[in-house]
Amino acid sequence: MLAKLNLIPPLVSFPEILNIGTFGAHFFHTSLVHIGSNLLILLLVGRILEPKLRYWLLPVTIFIWLGTIAILWGVNDVPVLGFSGVAMGLLTFAMLLCRQEPYWYQLLWPMVLVNILFGLMPGISWWGHLGGAIAGGIVFYAWKILKQ
């Protein structure tokens, strides 16, 4: 529907251009399934991270978002759309945070693996998923250092 209204093309993140589309493309999705799957991950991850991070949750999310953009801008050669990379980064952050909690860790690591593999499917942004996971890992270890 958004494509028919010509709202998607100007907001798609093209890798060779650093503009509003680079940042805004993460907030638009290709279908209800796309946005629904991202929201499902954010709901799960939010329930895990919010009580553990409290006031750190917003800065962590922003830095994962910016890290995902930096990785996509540096290595990706196709346009991307959606919040999957940031959701993947938050999922990876939560997995690393919950390594000592078997219940959450056993739930999260397969989700991280499946989402990285999901990025290999045609039409899915490989670098969006992998880049989000890398950004989530980097932000996790930076957060651990800052928190000490």
Side-chain angles (χ1 to χ4, degrees), residues 1-12 14 20-21 28-29 81:
M1 181 172 109
L2 291 175
K4 291 179 185 174
L5 297 173
N6 287 329
L7 292 177
I8 290 180
L11 293 171
V12 172
F14 289 95
I20 190 67
F28 289 87
H29 292 77
L81 193 65

Side-chain angles (χ1 to χ4, degrees), residues 7-8 10 24 26 29 31 44 49 57 75 80 84 92 105 112 118 136:
L7 292 177
I8 290 180
H26 296 277
H29 292 77
S31 68
L44 171 69
L49 292 181
L57 184 56
V75 298
V80 296
S84 303
T92 302
Y105 186 72
V112 169
F118 188 69

Side-chain angles (χ1 to χ4, degrees), residues 100-120:
Q100 304 303 321
E101 300 175 41
Y103 174 80
W104 286 120
Y105 186 72
Q106 290 175 1
L107 176 73
L108 293 171
W109 79 259
M111 289 179 69
V112 169
L113 181 63
V114 165
N115 274 289
I116 289 174
L117 294 175
F118 188 69
L120 295 172

Side-chain angles (χ1 to χ4, degrees), residues 33-53:
V33 172
H34 186 199
I35 196 168
S37 62
N38 286 337
L39 289 174
L40 187 62
I41 289 173
L42 292 175
L43 178 66
L44 171 69
V45 169
R47 297 278 298 162
I48 296 168
L49 292 181
E50 193 171 7
K52 295 179 183 305
L53 296 182

Side-chain angles (χ1 to χ4, degrees), residues 36-105:
S37 62
N38 286 337
L39 289 174
L40 187 62
I41 289 173
L42 292 175
L43 178 66
L44 171 69
V45 169
R47 297 278 298 162
I48 296 168
L49 292 181
E50 193 171 7
K52 295 179 183 305
L53 296 182
R54 296 176 313 186
Y55 58 85
W56 281 99
L57 184 56
L58 182 60
V60 161
T61 303
I62 290 170
F63 281 108
I64 288 173
W65 177 49
L66 293 173
T68 302
I69 289 171
I71 291 168
L72 285 172
W73 193 56
V75 298
N76 194 31
D77 58 353
V78 295
V80 296
L81 193 65
F83 208 68
S84 303
V86 180
M88 187 65 200
L90 287 167
L91 189 61
T92 302
F93 187 99
M95 180 196 72
L96 293 171
L97 184 65
C98 294
R99 285 179 298 182
Q100 304 303 321
E101 300 175 41
Y103 174 80
W104 286 120
Y105 186 72

